Amino acid sequence: MSAPHAPVLLAEVIQALNPAPGDVMIDATFGAGGYTRAILATGAKVVALDRDPSVQPHAEAVAADFPGRFQLVRTPFSGLSAAFAGTGEAKLDGAVFDIGVSSMQLDQAERGFSFLRDGPLDMRMSSDGESAADIVNGWDHGPLAHIFKLYGEERQSGRIASVILRRRAEAPFTRTLDLAETIEKAVGGRRGAPIHPATRVFQALRIAVNDELGELTAGLAAAEATLAPGGRLAVVTFHSLEDRIVKQFLTERTGNTPGGSRHAPVAIDSRKPSFTLQFKGAREAGEIERAANPRARSARLRAAVRTDAPAWGMAA
């Protein structure tokens, strides 16, 4: 496969989706088309979603290789239901989400995602909304520290926010390496740390710029509302914040929410489970894949099958 981004846990995702000729699948994170091509190779159709305009050449190549069985819709996760409704297809048999930034986006310095490559401080997956520079140069100390701690799990969030405010008073941040170096100085340099000091702040900014966690939550609900009974859902995550959302969603929707104290009254939810788990817990990449693809080291796959119960956001 010549795509610049290697899909993680590909064999496990295809096993979870179990596509067959005539099935219709959504690849909610098209990227370079890795999952899409593997699904199309089984004879299924694919409706791909992506809000990043840079994926268009990959989409054109896939459309040429699989005429009549592929289409791309420019939309974030929250637009999944509307996107599928617009295709005219009668039934959705599966959906896959690969959450987070792709290696192809990180490799493009002009996108501003990487603290290792100098580029404009942007980080937008589309051209809409606030950029990372807008946030860094415009937000007050409290909101900045909050997203650094919440989305980046950065322990020195307040200190970093203070240093950013002092520096931007002299000159605004416009470049990725400028921000990365400022953060490195704020926390006292790398000092042999296993990750760059700017890693968590850049992650937090990217999540905030693209509302990634909000879009994930909306996308899961949209998949629940759109998948046909028996439809399969596969979600690959790369850090604990994403995985926690997916785990909580599936725990709730499979009716496995832990009960309260046996001495306390318990509110019984009368809604029927809208999903059943395909396997307990999460699948992780094997040693061979982790050695070949560093992205796979933190990847976790959760998968479930849609029941015939109404979506929890709808009336039962």
Side-chain angles (χ1 to χ4, degrees):
M1 190 176 298
S2 60
H5 171 74
V8 172
L9 289 163
L10 178 59
E12 292 83 353
V13 165
I14 296 302
Q15 182 180 28
L17 292 176
N18 192 27
D23 282 353
V24 181
M25 300 274 165
I26 278 184
D27 181 352
T29 43
F30 173 71
Y35 293 122
T36 287
R37 284 183 175 275
I39 295 167
L40 288 167
T42 69
K45 297 179 181 179
V46 173
V47 178
L49 313 181
D50 208 306
R51 54 178 159 172
D52 186 343
S54 71
V55 307
Q56 187 61 36
H58 302 295
E60 292 171 358
V62 171
D65 291 341
F66 299 92
R69 290 196 287 119
F70 168 78
Q71 56 183 301
L72 173 70
V73 182
R74 286 278 305 281
T75 184
F77 298 156
S78 55
L80 184 151
S81 291
F84 184 74
T87 65
E89 297 289 348
K91 182 167 70 83
L92 180 61
D93 300 291
V96 57
F97 294 76
D98 176 1
I99 310 303
V101 67
S102 72
S103 54
M104 127 178 129
Q105 289 167 326
L106 289 171
D107 289 342
Q108 296 170 347
E110 67 273 13
R111 304 299 299 278
F113 286 106
S114 176
F115 47 79
L116 299 176
R117 295 175 174 84
D118 190 39
L121 191 57
D122 194 322
M123 299 193 191
R124 291 175 294 180
M125 291 183 181
S126 68
S127 57
D128 301 323
E130 284 186 305
S131 68
D134 293 328
I135 291 176
V136 168
N137 293 315
W139 286 22
D140 292 335
H141 180 278
L144 277 178
H146 177 69
I147 64 167
F148 295 163
K149 184 175 182 179
L150 180 64
Y151 296 154
E153 300 177 297
E154 173 54 66
R155 294 180 180 179
Q156 300 193 61
S157 57
R159 177 181 178 83
I160 293 172
S162 295
V163 170
I164 286 175
L165 261 65
R166 286 199 299 269
R167 211 324 289 279
R168 80 186 193 193
E170 302 171 3
F173 290 94
T174 61
R175 309 291 294 181
T176 53
L177 289 189
D178 183 17
L179 178 60
E181 290 167 2
T182 299
I183 295 168
E184 188 170 350
K185 292 175 183 176
V187 298
R190 302 187 68 169
R191 298 181 181 176
I195 64 171
H196 192 284
T199 301
R200 295 184 179 90
V201 170
F202 269 63
Q203 172 182 295
L205 286 170
R206 191 199 78 224
I207 290 173
V209 164
N210 298 291
D211 187 24
E212 290 181 24
L213 302 186
E215 283 292 332
L216 172 57
T217 299
L220 292 172
E224 176 193 28
T226 310
L227 282 166
R232 284 82 67 191
L233 174 67
V235 187
V236 178
T237 60
F238 292 88
H239 63 71
S240 60
L241 296 175
E242 302 162 346
D243 185 59
R244 192 176 305 138
I245 289 172
V246 178
K247 180 181 179 181
Q248 289 176 348
F249 174 85
L250 291 178
T251 296
E252 180 183 72
R253 296 313 205 262
T254 55
N256 293 317
T257 304
S261 166
R262 62 187 178 90
H263 302 293
V266 177
I268 299 176
D269 197 321
S270 61
R271 290 176 292 190
K272 296 180 180 179
S274 56
F275 283 98
T276 57
L277 294 178
Q278 290 198 33
F279 45 81
K280 187 176 181 180
R283 296 269 171 89
E284 299 181 1
E287 292 183 10
I288 294 176
E289 182 175 6
R290 291 200 302 269
N293 184 0
R295 270 189 95 236
R297 294 171 188 167
S298 60
R300 296 169 69 85
L301 167 66
R302 297 185 186 273
V305 179
R306 186 70 169 87
T307 69
D308 60 1
W312 283 34
M314 301 178 179

